[in-house]
Amino acid sequence: MSTEQGSHSNYRRTLGPVALTAVGLGSIIGSGWLFGAQRAAGIAGPAAICAWVIGAAVALTIALTYSELGAMFPKAGGMVRYGQYSHGSLAGYLAAWANWLAIVSVIPGEATASVQYMSSWKWDWAKGLYDGKELTGSGVALASVLLVFYFFLNWFAISLFAKTNNAITVFKIVVPALTAGALMYAHFDTHNIQTAGGFTPNGWSSVFTAVATSGIVWAYNGFQSPLNMAGEARNPGKSLPKAVIGSILIALVIYIALQVAFLMAVPSADLASGWKALTFKSPLADLAIAWGLNWLAIILYADAFISPSGTGMIYAATTSRMIHGVQENGHLPGVFGKVDKKTGVPRPALLLNLVVAFLFLAVFRGWGSLAEIVSVATVISYITGPVAVMSLRRIAPDIKRPVMLKAMPVIAPVAMVFGSLVLYWAKWPLTGKVILLMAVGLPIWAWYELRKPWAVLKPHLKAGAWMVGYLFVMAAVSWAGSTKFNGQGYLPEGWDMLLVALIALGFYVWGVRSSWRNPTLVQAEKELAAEAVAEESAEAELAEVK
């Protein structure tokens, strides 16, 4: 038995479809629902409603590609593995690095959101937690306490995590639904859509930018969490797709209701300077107080701890599984692949993520700045799924696929186009900054890979070249693009997005054709075959007993 198999045997397959859906929904409904409506409205005005729908469509197409991959390889930290299986170490590492950056930075983001909401309390010590742009020293200290709290909730056992998360998720669904309904009942001014510039005060380009940077991608990115917990899933072939797709659709309904409620509840006097000028510290709670719903404000202040804390707890769990996956890909020391036999928790990985979360909190002290970075890094990680799923159909057709959509040859390139468009919509120079952040992780890859013989390394470099090229080309297009997306204006509006779509399709074809049967994939096939034999033997023994 391999070391990997041994470590995975310490995980407990205790999570069914309900628990996994709670994991997905609990990740999606975090701090995004507390701040996303105001931030999206500030960018796109009332058309922010469309931004949530577009974001859900993007997430669904990409999630469908990952659902097939997750069911094929039901292992912990699944999202950081698929690129490695299809293209080897370079593409696999870049995808894993982007994915991990996007997810681990959510943990301090959720803690920041809780403290930022708390700053609206009437006491002076609470008001001193946030200066209007970022957390103060006392705010960072309190957010650090929350990070430690998330850490300890995950330290002891997966069963404790599941029970705690299911309870929190129920609360996280009820409170947003109650908030939307109460605000709509208290004040529903449809004239807000006509005032302050109409439905699209900043044009349709702002709607697309809202998808990329207002926290919408941040929110829907939670669909990954069930896939990263796949090593603990019962019957992953059925439960993972249900959890991934179900959590996105439920969240879409909740987020649209909240966005509509926010748009109609803003007092008309506050819109004199436009949607962008809104400066609510605790948007939904401030509106509740404005319309005399003090009881709702109290619930919201409480939920400002519960919702982000529930999401932070989930991401602390899923990122530790991702670190385990990166270690098994060969890019971290062996200690981070250890899983505690008694609790089924990868504790060293959990510790590493806690340290990194502290670093992010020290650098990015505001929810908005974190949301932008997380969203763009997330989109970069998305492009692996569409390419990997069709690559594996080409190079590993015999692997059992519990989920296999006939429409995947169409869905995958569409998902690649959607992901690339969202990356472009994020605007220059943010796209360039995050792509530069991708390069920061390359020394780790180089430490492990460049010591290998050229004959061993060459196919990994050749197979991963498409992803390196993609990042450079997308950065160049973002810089040269339409002024609507902060580019230099060399590309006219409309033609710029057509070019992005064509570039996405070109790199999609290159990526699928460059996949190869690398050693990681061969090893994974052997392990899947061994597991299938073990399951058949167990079923045969059970039949004999009966």
Side-chain angles (χ1 to χ4, degrees), residues 179-506:
T179 300
L183 286 176
M184 288 181 187
Y185 181 77
H187 189 79
F188 197 81
D189 188 353
T190 56
H191 291 97
N192 284 356
I193 296 178
Q194 282 82 43
T195 58
F199 187 70
T200 54
N202 302 313
W204 280 100
S205 62
S206 67
V207 178
F208 302 137
T209 298
V211 174
T213 63
S214 70
I216 291 175
V217 168
W218 164 308
Y220 287 127
N221 190 38
F223 80 78
Q224 298 189 30
S225 291
L227 298 170
N228 285 320
M229 303 291 284
E232 290 125 301
R234 293 196 313 266
N235 194 1
K238 291 184 178 180
S239 58
L240 285 176
K242 289 179 181 178
V244 170
I245 296 169
S247 59
I248 292 174
L249 293 177
I250 295 170
L252 171 62
V253 174
I254 292 172
Y255 276 121
I256 288 179
L258 284 166
Q259 187 67 66
V260 170
F262 176 85
L263 292 169
M264 306 307 172
V266 173
S268 56
D270 290 347
L271 292 175
S273 300
W275 292 97
K276 192 175 184 178
L278 295 177
T279 56
F280 299 126
K281 282 186 176 181
S282 309
L284 299 173
D286 290 349
L287 287 177
I289 292 172
W291 301 114
L293 303 175
N294 294 330
W295 59 271
L296 179 60
I298 293 171
I299 292 174
L300 285 168
Y301 285 135
D303 192 64
F305 275 101
I306 295 172
S307 282
S309 293
T311 303
M313 179 184 71
I314 293 170
Y315 278 105
T318 58
T319 49
S320 65
R321 276 68 176 174
M322 293 170 76
I323 286 293
H324 186 181
V326 171
Q327 186 277 322
E328 289 177 347
N329 285 347
H331 299 133
L332 281 175
V335 64
F336 296 113
K338 292 184 178 180
V339 180
D340 184 71
K341 291 182 179 180
K342 186 176 180 181
T343 61
V345 175
R347 286 179 167 177
L350 203 60
L351 276 167
L352 175 62
N353 282 323
L354 178 64
V355 173
V356 174
F358 278 131
L359 291 175
F360 267 97
L361 183 61
V363 177
F364 302 102
R365 297 185 174 193
W367 187 87
S369 58
L370 264 169
E372 288 183 347
I373 295 293
V374 170
S375 297
V376 181
T378 295
V379 174
I380 291 174
S381 72
Y382 278 173
I383 66 169
T384 313
V387 174
V389 70
M390 293 309 297
S391 294
L392 289 166
R393 284 195 180 190
R394 185 178 74 85
I395 62 176
D398 296 329
I399 294 181
K400 182 181 178 182
R401 288 168 168 79
V403 176
M404 189 173 180
L405 297 178
K406 292 181 179 179
M408 189 59 73
V410 175
I411 293 171
V414 169
M416 183 74 173
V417 169
F418 279 176
S420 301
L421 285 171
V422 174
L423 179 59
Y424 177 70
W425 296 338
K427 291 187 175 182
W428 182 266
L430 181 60
T431 47
K433 289 179 180 178
V434 177
I435 289 172
L436 180 63
L437 196 61
M438 293 289 296
V440 172
L442 283 176
I444 300 174
W445 174 85
W447 172 260
Y448 285 97
E449 298 294 326
L450 293 186
R451 293 178 290 176
K452 294 178 179 178
W454 174 246
V456 174
L457 181 60
K458 182 180 178 181
H460 292 273
L461 294 176
K462 184 178 178 182
W466 72 272
M467 192 164 183
V468 176
Y470 174 85
L471 294 175
F472 278 112
V473 170
M474 285 301 298
V477 171
S478 181
W479 173 82
S482 165
T483 54
K484 293 286 187 179
F485 298 102
N486 280 358
Q488 298 298 306
Y490 296 124
L491 298 173
E493 186 180 0
W495 290 102
D496 55 343
M497 287 193 279
L498 176 61
L499 178 61
V500 169
L502 293 174
I503 287 170
L505 292 174

Side-chain angles (χ1 to χ4, degrees), residues 39-206:
R39 190 168 176 82
I43 296 172
I49 298 168
C50 300
W52 286 103
V53 176
I54 294 170
V58 171
L60 271 173
T61 55
I62 293 170
L64 287 172
T65 68
Y66 280 111
S67 293
E68 178 170 321
L69 293 167
M72 285 171 65
F73 304 104
K75 290 187 174 185
M79 292 289 290
V80 302
R81 297 174 182 273
Y82 310 135
Q84 181 98 4
Y85 290 150
S86 60
H87 288 81
S89 68
L90 179 56
Y93 178 81
L94 287 172
W97 177 254
N99 203 277
W100 177 69
L101 277 179
I103 301 297
V104 76
S105 52
V106 171
I107 304 172
E110 299 304 308
T112 299
S114 290
V115 176
Q116 195 167 319
Y117 240 72
M118 193 175 172
S119 67
S120 290
W121 291 3
K122 63 180 181 180
W123 297 288
D124 290 338
W125 65 267
K127 293 177 180 178
L129 297 172
Y130 181 70
D131 65 8
K133 292 183 178 180
E134 61 180 25
L135 299 186
T136 62
S138 59
V140 171
L142 183 55
S144 299
V145 172
L146 287 176
L147 292 182
V148 175
F149 172 67
Y150 305 158
F151 168 80
F152 277 112
L153 275 177
N154 280 280
W155 183 260
F156 297 105
I158 184 64
S159 56
L160 173 64
F161 163 82
K163 291 174 183 177
T164 306
N165 182 59
N166 285 348
I168 290 175
T169 301
V170 170
F171 189 79
K172 289 168 73 170
I173 295 173
V174 171
V175 174
L178 178 65
T179 300
L183 286 176
M184 288 181 187
Y185 181 77
H187 189 79
F188 197 81
D189 188 353
T190 56
H191 291 97
N192 284 356
I193 296 178
Q194 282 82 43
T195 58
F199 187 70
T200 54
N202 302 313
W204 280 100
S205 62
S206 67

